[in-house]
Amino acid sequence: MAGSTPEIERDPEAMRGRILAARREGRRVGFVPTMGSLHAGHASLASRARESCDDVAVSIFVNPTQFGPREDYDRYPRNLEADCELLARHGVRWVFAPAVEAVYPPGNATRIVVDGPARRFEGELRPGHFAGVATVVCRLFQAVPADVAYFGAKDWQQTLVVRRMVHDLGLPIGILVCPTVRDPDGLAMSSRNAYLSPAERQRAVALAESLAQAERLWSQGRSVAEIEPAMRTALAARDVSCDYAAVVDPESLEPLVDPHGPAIALVAGRIGTTRLIDNRELPSRTTVG
Ligand code: PAF
């Protein structure tokens, strides 16, 4: 599907002006926030937005405040030209690609700290990560005041944090969460997959295998106490270090109150220097062993 190259806007005020002008004309605007290095997962979000909106804006901004001091901010892959080519094929009208100083002007001192769903898992292992995410998403929503924003379900905890913030601050934007896009062997698409050597790429399928195991045992009525060790075993079978493997409430991310669910299986693992996360929704069930 060929299309014209998206217009690149770097200035937040100018971006906001363009979006508001389109909306004043009665156009429905969709927004896909990204950190670039786009893959089929991002493309599916842009396509989904294009299906139900007249215009689509995609932001490409590697947000420094969501990376810890020993994380991969400097080496995070960046390729604006290839990203714009991909977005042209999906009918995206605008790319918002601000400089760091445009998002965080000198002297800025405000951060948005979300509690609740931000507390456990990524929040525990990556202190400050979700404050960085919430702050930048709020800033991006100011520059791109769209009708609806699209997020991938792969970052499940992030979607809960964004929803919480939007609700608590009364931000006037809808949030739509779209399914994870996977390689044929089940590995969830992620910009960080680019870090994997061919041998590591083969081992990375362990995350999907661990979630498949969780789903199998869940559907057999097995308890969380049985499922979580089995998830860790699936990771270890391919020499993937486990940061966490858990079955929890899909909204609060706290331990299940109702053992029949619904639930979410969450997994984070490290393969060499690459850290990947994934998840699978587990539907309500009627029997528990
Ligand atoms: O999911 C991402 O790519 C980022 O966390 C986001 C939402 C664009 C904020 O930087």
Side-chain angles (χ1 to χ4, degrees):
M1 189 200 352
S4 50
T5 311
E7 297 162 37
I8 299 177
E9 183 54 77
R10 297 189 182 273
D11 178 61
E13 272 310 307
M15 185 74 253
R16 184 174 171 83
R18 290 183 191 221
I19 304 290
L20 292 177
R23 291 189 65 187
R24 271 196 303 274
E25 286 170 18
R27 299 178 72 79
R28 181 174 164 81
V29 177
F31 176 39
V32 182
T34 82
M35 297 207 298
S37 185
L38 304 179
H39 48 66
H42 297 111
S44 82
L45 295 177
S47 294
R48 183 67 175 60
R50 193 69 189 84
E51 273 163 29
S52 47
C53 298
D54 301 299
D55 294 317
V56 177
V58 173
S59 63
I60 295 182
F61 179 66
V62 184
N63 172 37
T65 66
Q66 71 188 76
F67 290 80
R70 279 179 299 282
E71 293 184 11
D72 54 343
Y73 175 68
D74 288 330
R75 74 164 178 151
Y76 197 85
R78 293 158 169 90
N79 193 342
L80 186 61
E81 205 177 313
D83 288 348
C84 287
E85 280 168 22
L86 179 143
L87 296 175
R89 295 199 296 275
H90 293 277
V92 169
R93 181 167 177 189
W94 300 290
V95 166
F96 177 49
V100 171
E101 305 71 44
V103 177
Y104 299 107
N108 79 89
T110 304
R111 293 287 178 272
I112 296 173
V113 177
V114 180
D115 196 7
R119 217 174 302 142
R120 304 185 66 198
F121 304 110
E122 295 302 295
E124 227 165 75
L125 291 167
R126 303 179 67 190
H129 170 66
F130 283 127
V133 169
T135 303
V136 79
V137 168
C138 190
R139 296 284 287 131
L140 293 171
F141 285 174
Q142 280 181 300
V144 187
D147 293 275
V148 55
Y150 297 79
F151 290 84
K154 186 189 74 78
D155 297 305
W156 183 267
Q157 192 172 9
Q158 170 172 278
T159 68
L160 297 175
V161 170
V162 169
R163 278 187 197 279
R164 187 75 257 167
M165 173 187 71
V166 165
H167 182 269
D168 291 351
L169 300 182
L171 302 181
I173 190 163
I175 302 295
L176 210 102
V177 177
C178 302
T180 302
V181 177
R182 297 177 181 281
D183 277 345
D185 66 356
L187 178 69
M189 297 264 175
S190 162
S191 304
R192 289 190 168 99
N193 292 351
Y195 298 149
L196 300 168
S197 69
E200 289 173 336
R201 167 65 189 79
Q202 292 205 324
R203 286 162 53 206
V205 75
L207 277 84
E209 289 171 347
S210 158
L211 295 170
Q213 176 74 331
E215 188 173 50
R216 199 160 35 244
L217 296 176
W218 175 262
S219 68
Q220 290 168 3
R222 309 282 279 276
S223 69
V224 171
E226 291 171 295
I227 298 172
E228 291 181 345
M231 292 173 72
R232 289 194 288 273
T233 302
L235 293 178
R238 290 194 189 261
D239 198 18
V240 173
S241 328
C242 178
D243 272 0
Y244 55 79
V247 173
V248 291
D249 182 278
E251 295 297 323
S252 67
L253 303 190
E254 296 294 336
L256 283 181
V257 176
D258 179 356
H260 301 291
I264 184 113
L266 300 172
V267 69
R270 278 172 287 116
I271 305 138
T273 55
T274 305
R275 184 172 183 278
L276 300 176
I277 62 173
D278 199 356
N279 66 77
R280 183 162 305 189
E281 286 179 82
L282 303 174
S284 295
R285 57 185 182 170
T286 46
T287 49
V288 179

